[in-house]
Amino acid sequence: MAAALRDILEASRRIVFFGGAGVSTESGIPDFRSADGLYAGGGTARFSPEEVLSRSFFLRYPEEFYAFHRAHILHPEAEPNPAHRALAALERDGKLAAVVTQNIDGLHQRAGSKRVLELHGSVHRNYCQDCERRFGLETILGSTGVPRCPCGGVIRPDVVLYEEPLDTDVITEAVTEIARADTLIVGGTSLVVYPAAGLVHHFSGENLVLINREATPLDRRATLVIRAPIGQTLAPFAQDTT
């Protein structure tokens, strides 16, 4: 499998990577839907994780939202794993045109990737709902309860919650990059969450590579399917990004 993947990468001129929560599990960040994922662990005593991570819940119960957010969503100690570093190396080498990610942890950027399209936003960006002043993750980590702006407004993370649409501009950019790619690598996602998963259907290039522990709806279309952890799979392609 490693040799087949290397052959595809060496022959590719414009690679795009589309990734999900499984990309960051080897950095210690749990995914959502696996047996030991976030959703399996339950939400609060009264609400499921899906309810807690919704727009209506945030507006109605911001204190409970932030208690869950700090306990389960924020992982400031996490470090990029070999998958993140390999993708950054491919970008530096002029092979990788873009990373399209469903993750909100910012680890691709930490590893050195420059062209990252974040479909669901980022916990590293936060803003006041009243005056729109911007805040970094350190503001949330350094606060208790509901973080507030100096103007008095409630600060919220710049992430897409349930009941909210994806950013149209980001989707447009992602579709453009995927459509232009000659190789699409899909990793760490079972491609069941829409509308994000639907973006891969815009790919019409030469090689579709799927790296995921579980089967996906696109396995039959793939040039190469690898059933292994993505960090382990991409580790041979990682280089020092310091």
Side-chain angles (χ1 to χ4, degrees), residues 85-112:
R85 295 195 294 272
L87 293 167
L90 286 169
E91 183 185 56
R92 289 198 312 274
D93 291 343
K95 289 281 191 178
L96 186 79
V99 169
V100 180
T101 180
Q102 299 176 77
N103 295 340
I104 59 176
D105 51 47
L107 291 181
H108 285 293
Q109 292 92 330
R110 286 272 304 280

Side-chain angles (χ1 to χ4, degrees), residues 1 3 23 36 113 147 159 176 181 195:
M1 288 295 185
V23 176
D36 55 353
S113 290
V159 299
T176 298

Side-chain angles (χ1 to χ4, degrees), residues 21-22 25 29-39:
T25 54
I29 299 178
D31 63 12
F32 291 87
R33 291 171 175 79
S34 68
D36 55 353
L38 179 62
Y39 289 173

Side-chain angles (χ1 to χ4, degrees), residues 17 31 66-67 70-71 73 77 112 114-115 134-135 150-151 160 171 174-175 180 182 188 192 203-204 209 216-217 222:
F17 178 80
D31 63 12
Y66 266 110
R70 292 188 180 95
I73 303 300
E77 75 292 343
K114 306 298 183 184
R115 178 69 167 147
R134 296 283 167 168
F135 300 89
C151 80
V160 179
I171 292 177
V175 167
R180 294 175 63 192
D182 62 354
V192 297
F203 176 68
S204 59
V209 178
T216 81

Side-chain angles (χ1 to χ4, degrees), residues 89-173:
L90 286 169
E91 183 185 56
R92 289 198 312 274
D93 291 343
K95 289 281 191 178
L96 186 79
V99 169
V100 180
T101 180
Q102 299 176 77
N103 295 340
I104 59 176
D105 51 47
L107 291 181
H108 285 293
Q109 292 92 330
R110 286 272 304 280
S113 290
K114 306 298 183 184
R115 178 69 167 147
V116 182
L117 301 175
E118 297 170 311
L119 297 174
H120 295 151
S122 173
V123 297
H124 293 272
R125 299 189 300 270
N126 303 269
Y127 64 92
C128 172
Q129 293 191 112
D130 291 348
C131 72
E132 299 186 354
R133 179 175 174 179
R134 296 283 167 168
F135 300 89
L137 178 58
E138 66 279 358
T139 298
I140 309 303
L141 295 174
S143 65
T144 58
V146 180
R148 290 189 176 272
C149 176
C151 80
V154 173
I155 299 172
R156 67 155 284 176
D158 189 8
V159 299
V160 179
L161 302 175
Y162 286 104
E163 305 168 353
E164 295 181 331
L166 301 184
D167 184 281
T168 303
D169 291 338
V170 176
I171 292 177
T172 299
E173 289 184 71

Side-chain angles (χ1 to χ4, degrees), residues 180-216:
R180 294 175 63 192
D182 62 354
T183 293
L184 177 64
I185 304 173
V186 178
T189 174
S190 52
L191 295 174
V192 297
V193 179
Y194 282 77
L199 299 181
V200 300
H201 294 292
H202 292 276
F203 176 68
S204 59
E206 298 173 16
N207 297 297
L208 174 60
V209 178
L210 298 178
I211 308 171
N212 197 54
R213 295 185 183 188
E214 302 172 355
T216 81

